[in-house]
Amino acid sequence: MIRRVPRPWRRWTLRTRLVVAIALLAGAALVLADAASLVQLRSSLLAGVDRDLSQGARAYARTPAGRELDPPVRRPFNPGPDVRITFYDAGGTVDRVTGDTAGPGPDLGPFAELSARADGAPFTAGDRAGGDPWRVVVIHRISATGTGGIVAVAVSLRQLDSTQRTLLGIDGAVLLLMLLLLALAAATVVRLGLAPLTAMEDTAQHIAAGDLARRVENVDPHTEAGRLGLAFNAMLARIESALAARTASEQRLRQFLADASHELRTPLTSIQGFAELYRRGGTPPGPALDEAMARIEAEADRMRVLVTDLMLLARLDEERPLDRHPVDLLSIAADAVRDAHARVPGRPVILDCDDPLSGAGPVTVAGDEARLRQVVTNLVANALHHTPPDTRITVRVGRCTGDGAGPPTAFVGTGPPPGTPTGLLEVTDTGPGLPADQADRVFERLYRADASRQRASGGAGLGLAIVAAIVVAHGGRVELRTRPGAGATFRVLLPELPDRSPAGWEGAPRVTGGQNLGTVDAWPLAPPTRGTK
């Protein structure tokens, strides 16, 4: 037979410990209250008995030997059950006994000891037959002859003890009933109080089973358990959001690896094909060999650009410190527009900017000039690649004076704190624009709206990802505002350096908005003293 060992107190459930503790404390309080009331009751009843005994003893002490008082004196104890009066003469001989003489009576002890107690103080004596004790008062007798003697008046405590036992039984029954009711009430109160914890336990089990949308319901924010339930729900929301973000990140990582493998495999396949063709003698010296070598060089260059971009993104992810210097946004924007006209002479690329000779001074930010040039170059190249040949592209440099164009379609970064000077660089085109589902992903790495990955449809999908990473590294924000048929505007917001004095710019050419830089090839847009590296 296996004996079950009770679990230690510390391993009990909280509900059981609370109910048991409440029941024990309430039971101890009731027991103490009952014990105090019984002691007080017995003391009060015993005081009444002692008072009556003392009065009766004084009355019987004046009774002459062998007869009743004349005239009669009212006595509180009439001879009868539970009362015994014993008269002793001076020699210690029992003169007579009246009252309840049926039983053995009280054990009064030797006469000498009894005579020593003849001071009228009540005391308790046992019963000769082992029954209920007796309360006894012994007093000297008043005799006309002066011979003396004593009288012992005893009353049995049987009724008092019976009353006390009855009350003890009633108190015990009431105590058990109250303990049962208290246990039931405590269990109900504790169950209601711990209901949010039980709900949290059930919710946690469902979440462990995979139901991440489960929440604790019907929580009361006015209780501790309710506030814990609210905090638990907030924690679950954060966990669900983190898991969703982790899942999306893993999905993006898998897609990134697949896209990167595809992008690297294409030039490697071309290089391998031309090399194998040369090895087999398919490209003899002459134009055919030159074309094969040119294709190999082009594919290797394409692969080099891709690897360089990936390495740049990796360095930006590592948050390596940038080589920060004062950089004039107008200077790098003008260079980017010149480069665009050099690469695609027929495209209308316009530079629009605030007046650099105004009191505000040039738009200068603290940053890595090479990286910021790459931002403008990538934005302009993106507009050139994904818009028709007749699309107007405008590069604007200025200061951000508020967002009056509504919320952006997509953005990356938190940007400069509100109220701080902010430099603005915008690249706007009048092309076909992007739908919302594609606009939300334009800053993802290796994402291209054209899933076919034809070389004629664009690059590898890293340009805008590099733009976002560089801008975020500079503490800025990049936004996209677009809709189908309304073109696209990429806005870069960067924290501006304190206002710089325009002294020394008086002789510089004035840059006006809307000028096409393709018609002023020799125009020095950015004097070398304007803070550029």
Side-chain angles (χ1 to χ4, degrees), residues 37-115:
S37 64
L38 288 175
V39 170
Q40 180 63 28
L41 177 63
R42 182 178 181 86
S43 176
S44 177
L45 293 177
L46 199 60
V49 171
D50 291 344
R51 184 174 59 253
D52 292 343
L53 275 174
S54 298
Q55 293 176 0
R58 287 193 296 271
Y60 283 111
R62 294 194 297 271
T63 303
R67 63 186 182 83
E68 298 293 333
L69 290 175
D70 187 18
V73 178
R74 184 180 64 84
R75 294 184 290 271
F77 299 107
N78 293 322
D82 299 335
V83 178
R84 177 173 290 194
I85 304 100
T86 305
F87 295 90
Y88 292 87
D89 57 18
T93 304
V94 177
D95 186 9
R96 61 191 174 91
V97 179
T98 62
D100 185 6
T101 59
D107 183 9
L108 299 177
F111 177 76
E113 296 179 2
L114 194 62
S115 178

Side-chain angles (χ1 to χ4, degrees), residues 9-232:
W9 167 263
R10 64 179 180 273
R11 297 184 60 188
W12 291 12
T13 63
L14 179 60
R15 181 184 290 105
T16 304
R17 280 187 285 182
L18 287 175
V19 172
V20 171
I22 293 173
L24 289 178
L25 290 175
L30 289 175
V31 169
L32 291 176
D34 289 345
S37 64
L38 288 175
V39 170
Q40 180 63 28
L41 177 63
R42 182 178 181 86
S43 176
S44 177
L45 293 177
L46 199 60
V49 171
D50 291 344
R51 184 174 59 253
D52 292 343
L53 275 174
S54 298
Q55 293 176 0
R58 287 193 296 271
Y60 283 111
R62 294 194 297 271
T63 303
R67 63 186 182 83
E68 298 293 333
L69 290 175
D70 187 18
V73 178
R74 184 180 64 84
R75 294 184 290 271
F77 299 107
N78 293 322
D82 299 335
V83 178
R84 177 173 290 194
I85 304 100
T86 305
F87 295 90
Y88 292 87
D89 57 18
T93 304
V94 177
D95 186 9
R96 61 191 174 91
V97 179
T98 62
D100 185 6
T101 59
D107 183 9
L108 299 177
F111 177 76
E113 296 179 2
L114 194 62
S115 178
R117 292 184 171 183
D119 56 358
F123 64 93
T124 301
D127 188 76
R128 292 178 180 176
D132 296 309
W134 296 71
R135 195 67 173 172
V136 182
V137 171
V138 180
I139 193 170
H140 290 284
R141 296 175 62 185
I142 301 174
S143 175
T145 60
T147 56
I150 59 175
V151 58
V153 182
V155 59
S156 176
L157 298 179
R158 179 174 58 83
Q159 293 184 353
L160 189 149
D161 289 345
S162 176
T163 301
Q164 189 173 11
R165 286 192 293 269
T166 301
L167 290 177
L168 184 61
I170 294 174
D171 288 345
V174 172
L175 175 63
L176 293 178
L177 180 60
M178 289 301 298
L179 285 178
L180 179 60
L181 293 178
L182 281 171
L184 293 176
T188 302
V189 172
V190 170
R191 179 176 57 82
L192 293 176
L194 297 181
L197 297 181
T198 304
M200 280 185 268
E201 178 186 3
D202 182 67
T203 302
Q205 291 177 353
H206 282 81
I207 290 175
D211 186 7
L212 299 180
R214 192 67 176 261
R215 296 291 183 271
V216 181
E217 299 178 354
N218 301 325
V219 292
D220 185 3
H222 300 91
T223 63
E224 293 82 358
R227 289 192 290 271
L228 179 60
L230 292 176
F232 187 72

Side-chain angles (χ1 to χ4, degrees), residues 249 252-253 256-257 307-322 371 412 443-446 462 464-474:
S249 177
R252 288 195 299 269
L253 178 59
F256 174 81
L257 293 176
V307 173
T308 301
D309 289 344
L310 291 175
M311 291 180 62
L312 172 60
L313 288 173
R315 285 195 297 269
L316 292 173
D317 288 341
E318 293 176 0
E319 298 182 355
R320 296 181 181 180
L322 299 173
R371 297 290 175 248
V412 177
F443 297 110
E444 294 182 11
R445 299 176 183 182
L446 293 175
L462 292 175
L464 294 180
I466 292 175
V467 168
I470 294 176
V471 172
V472 171
H474 281 78

Side-chain angles (χ1 to χ4, degrees), residues 407-428:
T409 309
F411 69 91
V412 177
T414 57
T420 60
T422 302
L424 170 67
L425 190 148
E426 282 185 351
V427 177
T428 303

